[in-house]
Amino acid sequence: MIEVKDEYWELRDAQNFNYDKSRRCYLATTQEDVERFLKSDDVTVEYLFRASRHVFGKTMLDSDSPEMLTIKREVARFFTLKAIKCYEVQFIKKFTEDLIQTIRQQNDEIIDFHREIAQRIPTKVILALYGIDEGLDIEIFYHLDKLVRYIDNPNYPLTDALNSKQYLTDFLVKCLSGSIKLDKNGLISSIDRNLFEDEQDLINTLLMVLAAGMATTISAFDALILKMYEEKDKLKFFITEKEIKDFISESLMEDPPLHSTVRFVKTSLEYKGKELKKFDNINVNLASANFEQVCPITGNRSAKTTSYTFGKGKHACLGSHLAISELVIFVQEFLPFIEEFKLGQSPEDLLLTGTTIKTYSNIKLKRT
């Protein structure tokens, strides 16, 4: 964890917008640069050889076409604040309560938080949102995880990712055909299929949202539990939902689940004295922009802050409100029992994995 923070200080001190030869990309690390390239129209998310294209084909994740923006608006209606308030009552709170009670009742001294909580809550929630039986979460997660691993790091075996994609595609085909019973109010049953070119186009989007819906939220849960135990005494005095949301926002700014994203230059342009050519790769470091707002002397964040945790502009995360809801409910439900557990290892001993989606995947809780 300390090494990660040191990296941010180093990036923050590099005032110039520089080209990194080892990564073969420009580094946008300051708040000014990150803001510029998240919102600019002279860069794009479109690139034929992106790892996500190998897995999902062309989707709204990596396309700026008008058709994809129309699809994004259709998908977005399932992630509005109003919709999420319904999900909280229908299933988010219940899933969270049940999983917390499960780990409390287990006889094991050591609890695998990453597996039992961080993985299962987001996966159950996105399946229920789709209208799929949440009891399939472990099986579905096994395959979604392989897709995410490849997208995060293309050195991960593509064959494994494609095999899991085929499994999930077959599963979704059964959902669409009615072979697998769905909740008629869920996303799969309710989405406007006329917006898609064909069934495969729809499946690609469903797969992408499934994977995105659980991957970054899992990482957020891992970062949150560390923050909760770090500031356990302060948490005891939190009463309002706003206090909890502010706490979560701070946690996500310190350790955003998506540490960086990528943009590609559309046409040649000049920026800060650098000549950027068409297709040049710009690594937009969200975590560094968040961290830039921390005072190097006191370690406190400035009173007026801008969070880049969920991105900005037209490719900002659709599921940000859903992720926050899951995290808020978890804090509310787990806080009464937080003294029953302690971290099973020192934070300095945790393994930070992932290339762009960073997660502390070996977090354990130990009974007190």
Side-chain angles (χ1 to χ4, degrees), residues 17 24 44-45 66 71 79 92 114 131 228 231 248 250 323 342:
F17 174 73
R24 299 180 182 179
T44 179
V45 295
I71 289 173
F79 293 90
I92 298 177
H114 179 76
M228 287 181 70
E231 302 194 18
I248 289 169
E250 178 67 20
K342 62 182 179 180

Side-chain angles (χ1 to χ4, degrees), residues 91-92 95-96 99 114-145 148 168 171 209-219 221 322-323 326:
F91 48 80
I92 298 177
F95 294 162
T96 305
L99 289 171
H114 179 76
R115 185 185 65 196
E116 300 294 337
I117 298 292
Q119 286 181 8
R120 298 200 68 187
I121 291 176
T123 308
K124 280 179 174 289
V125 167
I126 195 65
L127 287 179
L129 190 156
Y130 267 43
I132 298 171
D133 179 6
E134 52 87 15
L136 298 170
D137 70 299
I138 295 177
E139 182 179 0
I140 296 297
F141 173 82
Y142 172 81
H143 293 285
L144 285 174
D145 186 51
V148 173
L168 292 166
F171 177 80
V209 177
L210 260 181
M214 65 90 186
T216 51
T217 312
I218 289 171
S219 176
F221 267 99
L322 179 63
E326 292 176 39

Side-chain angles (χ1 to χ4, degrees), residues 11 17-29 260-265 274 276 279-285 356:
L11 289 170
F17 174 73
N18 291 318
Y19 185 81
D20 187 314
K21 292 183 179 178
S22 63
R23 301 191 209 183
R24 299 180 182 179
C25 65
Y26 286 94
L27 298 180
T29 60
S260 63
T261 185
V262 65
R263 295 293 184 269
F264 302 93
V265 177
K274 306 291 193 303
L276 279 64
F279 299 130
D280 275 350
N281 183 338
I282 302 170
N283 183 282
V284 184
N285 197 305
T356 57

